[in-house]
Amino acid sequence: MTLKDQKSDISARLKEARKLAGLSQGQVAKILGLHRPTVSEIESGRRRVSADEINSFAEAYEVSGAWLLGEINETLETNDPRIQLAARELAKIKPDDLEKLLRLISSMRDT
Amino acid sequence: MTLKDQKSDISARLKEARKLAGLSQGQVAKILGLHRPTVSEIESGRRRVSADEINSFAEAYEVSGAWLLGEINETLETNDPRIQLAARELAKIKPDDLEKLLRLISSMRDT
DNA sequence: ACATTACGTAAGATATTCTTACATTTGTAA
DNA sequence: TTACAAATGTAAGAATATCTTACGTAATGT
């Protein structure tokens, strides 16, 4: 699989975000501790971007990492008979723990 | 800079999310088109994770990429054994139903 | 036009990742 | 416990990607 075939085009968003931030590739390279050609390669989609680099870019450009990833909010339907069965399983968990669990899961949940 | 020094520990979240999804490394590897040792290396922090891989993991585990990036505040003690136990129960529920279930319970929680 | 800054790219050196194989751990049934 | 199976960890050479420096072109401003 070539790099160009990758579905999510983070490179375009990185380039767009950089310009919105009013920064040059050289400035960004210095901030992130990269070489300038590396930034060029990234924005042209010839070089991958790691998780930590995404976070660094997001901070430098003041955008969310989620936006850089191209995450799309998806809605979903809530009517399914199997839910009630699953809910009965959940009911076995102690209320105190359930509260914590819900907070954990909701923080992980797709928006 | 070694890989372990990277501030955002996406590897730990990937491992946690996989277990919550009830998947083995082998299953995940097949879904994402990776070799199983690669998943192992990723979860141990010895291999980087690219932007597209983050999106793929997020979809497979049904968590947000933002959470995998560590953007969402982790206010919870995830090493609490009681929560791990509860999470194991939740892992038995089919991923498709999990999100629906969470919505149901969230709506019940508000009173 | 000239100077300066920004950006793209080439090429060899370096580093990472891939792939296969084997080892270790963990879970489970006899 | 022992034995077996499944899951995970890891080693090592091959394949690939990235780094680093250098040079070239395009854009911008004076």
Side-chain angles (χ1 to χ4, degrees), chain B:
Chain B
M1 181 190 203
T2 65
L3 283 174
K4 299 188 81 165
D5 294 331
Q6 296 180 339
K7 62 175 181 181
S8 83
D9 192 10
I10 192 176
S11 59
R13 283 185 294 275
L14 281 172
K15 188 169 190 173
E16 181 181 357
R18 176 177 60 80
K19 290 184 174 175
L20 281 169
L23 298 173
S24 69
Q25 290 182 350
Q27 289 175 306
V28 172
K30 192 164 191 175
I31 292 172
L32 298 214
L34 300 171
H35 289 262
R36 189 195 50 76
T38 298
V39 177
S40 177
E41 302 287 324
I42 286 174
E43 291 187 355
S44 65
R46 284 189 287 272
R47 181 195 176 280
R48 292 195 182 107
V49 192
S50 74
D52 289 294
E53 287 167 344
I54 292 173
N55 281 328
S56 297
F57 277 117
E59 186 177 359
Y61 299 156
E62 296 200 337
V63 299
S64 68
W67 183 80
L68 289 179
L69 284 176
E71 284 197 332
I72 297 173
N73 277 355
E74 184 65 62
T75 61
L76 216 51
E77 55 285 359
T78 53
N79 43 3
D80 186 330
R82 293 178 303 164
I83 294 185
Q84 297 284 353
L85 195 66
R88 233 168 267 136
E89 286 299 316
L90 265 187
K92 295 176 181 172
I93 302 171
K94 284 205 179 108
D96 250 1
D97 292 343
L98 182 55
E99 185 167 356
K100 300 173 186 173
L101 178 62
L102 289 167
R103 291 214 160 189
L104 175 69
I105 296 182
S106 284
S107 66
M108 295 167 60
R109 209 164 70 87
D110 269 356
T111 55

